[in-house]
Amino acid sequence: MLRAERRREVTSSSRVRRIRCMPVTLPAGNIVGSEVRAYTRGMSRPSPHALSFNRYRELLDREYLALSALVQPTLDRPVPACPGWNGEDLVRHTAIVFLHKAETIRTGEKPSHGWPPLSVGSLPPGALLEHCHARLIEQFDAHEPTDPAQSWVPEDQTVGFWIRRLTHETVIHRFDLEDAAPGTTTSLDPALAVDGVDEVLFVMLARGKPDPEASCGTIRLEVGPHSWDVRLDPQRVVVERDVPADGQATLRADAEQMLLWLWGRAPQPVDAPPTAVELRARLARSL
């Protein structure tokens, strides 16, 4: 995950450093319908925005290739979304996330002792990213999306959870490296951006820590025809999809702008109600 305030241990060159950050071959068959519903089982209602697993894999492959092409141009450049990090720090972080999830799927539980492995420190950043991505794809190819895999979401302990999660992780970090490089950033896939809004609200925000200072206010996020009503209760955030509008304070943006704002990668959309600041601060503590 991608929180600027969270510390992570990441192996770099010849040492393990603590640094800070703000997070192929496709399987046979087109996995849609009931298998997408199985992947999102346990939610109050299956996500209507989930893509097919083949599509996640296509986008993960595309985003990884774009990210890997940015490694050399950004090694020494500061990453705006990750204060104190340069491109090498972000690449090593992303690689270790890939490897951690590959090991989680391979062994059936998340790595603990001796993590990350010291041996990865000898690899230069580009080679490390390639190695860890290959290990991740090896595990994705060896499993069905419905196979068990440990995650922090009790009701979704599947490989499919990580296919979706790491596609979004790679998109955000590809954007981060583009933002660090000279030139312009590439637009996000529109359907993936809508799914990303849904994922960050339900998987991250709705599972965040209690906030005794919460206002109990509600903010409505609108992306085209889609909406999410977010109630900021002290114990937990409650998110509902596509409920009728009833005078709620509303924040409107296109899918890319909304997703990047939620992840702290873009300015707050214009005409934002006061509850938008509270939502973003609470989400930042959940990432």
Side-chain angles (χ1 to χ4, degrees), residues 10-13 88-96 123-125 128:
V10 179
T11 305
S12 175
S13 299
E88 178 175 354
D89 296 326
L90 184 59
V91 169
R92 290 186 179 277
H93 158 80
T94 305
I96 295 302
L123 293 173
L128 177 64

Side-chain angles (χ1 to χ4, degrees), residues 35-73:
E35 289 167 356
V36 170
R37 290 193 291 273
Y39 163 44
T40 56
R41 71 185 184 279
M43 294 182 180
S44 58
R45 132 185 192 207
S47 170
H49 306 296
L51 311 182
S52 75
F53 289 107
N54 274 2
R55 183 59 177 155
Y56 284 127
R57 289 292 305 276
E58 290 170 355
L59 290 167
L60 175 58
D61 189 49
R62 187 181 81 180
E63 294 291 338
Y64 165 74
L65 291 174
L67 186 152
S68 61
L70 291 161
V71 172
Q72 291 303 317

Side-chain angles (χ1 to χ4, degrees), residues 220 227 229 240-245 248:
R220 183 180 180 90
S227 68
D229 279 39
E240 295 182 281
R241 300 183 187 94
D242 299 323
V243 300
Q248 306 96 320

Side-chain angles (χ1 to χ4, degrees), residues 182-227:
T184 59
T185 57
T186 305
S187 297
L188 278 60
D189 178 85
L192 187 67
V194 173
D195 182 56
V197 172
D198 193 82
E199 194 229 20
V200 75
L201 294 176
F202 278 94
V203 175
M204 310 297 185
L205 181 61
R207 299 175 186 282
K209 296 178 181 179
D211 178 6
E213 304 301 319
S215 66
C216 299
T218 295
I219 180 171
R220 183 180 180 90
L221 306 182
E222 289 188 354
V223 173
H226 311 297
S227 68

Side-chain angles (χ1 to χ4, degrees), residues 92-287:
R92 290 186 179 277
H93 158 80
T94 305
I96 295 302
V97 169
F98 286 167
L99 188 61
H100 188 277
K101 305 321 171 192
E103 284 297 288
T104 297
I105 296 169
R106 186 182 70 83
T107 65
E109 58 185 16
K110 63 182 180 181
S112 54
H113 301 297
W115 188 263
L118 293 176
S119 59
V120 300
S122 63
L123 293 173
L128 177 64
L129 183 68
E130 182 179 6
H131 169 79
C132 296
H133 174 262
R135 299 291 77 74
L136 178 67
I137 296 305
E138 184 178 83
Q139 291 305 311
F140 284 168
D141 285 346
H143 293 85
E144 294 296 327
T146 50
D147 284 351
Q150 188 179 71
S151 80
W152 73 84
V153 178
E155 64 270 22
D156 192 359
Q157 303 280 303
T158 66
V159 172
F161 173 89
W162 291 115
I163 295 174
R164 185 193 195 201
R165 174 84 285 283
L166 292 181
T167 301
H168 288 297
E169 180 96 356
T170 306
V171 168
I172 293 296
H173 285 328
R174 182 271 296 167
F175 175 88
D176 288 340
L177 284 187
E178 281 191 343
D179 200 28
T184 59
T185 57
T186 305
S187 297
L188 278 60
D189 178 85
L192 187 67
V194 173
D195 182 56
V197 172
D198 193 82
E199 194 229 20
V200 75
L201 294 176
F202 278 94
V203 175
M204 310 297 185
L205 181 61
R207 299 175 186 282
K209 296 178 181 179
D211 178 6
E213 304 301 319
S215 66
C216 299
T218 295
I219 180 171
R220 183 180 180 90
L221 306 182
E222 289 188 354
V223 173
H226 311 297
S227 68
W228 297 262
D229 279 39
V230 181
R231 192 173 74 242
L232 301 166
D233 288 352
Q235 281 303 114
R236 60 187 292 266
V237 174
V238 179
V239 184
E240 295 182 281
R241 300 183 187 94
D242 299 323
V243 300
D246 189 24
Q248 306 96 320
T250 300
L251 181 62
R252 298 179 179 89
D254 63 38
E256 179 171 330
Q257 182 187 24
M258 186 72 78
L259 178 63
L260 293 176
W261 170 69
L262 287 168
W263 278 107
R265 266 65 179 180
Q268 182 171 280
V270 296
D271 300 324
T275 41
V277 175
E278 181 183 356
L279 183 159
R280 179 66 193 92
R282 190 154 177 180
L283 178 57
R285 295 192 292 271
S286 303
L287 299 178

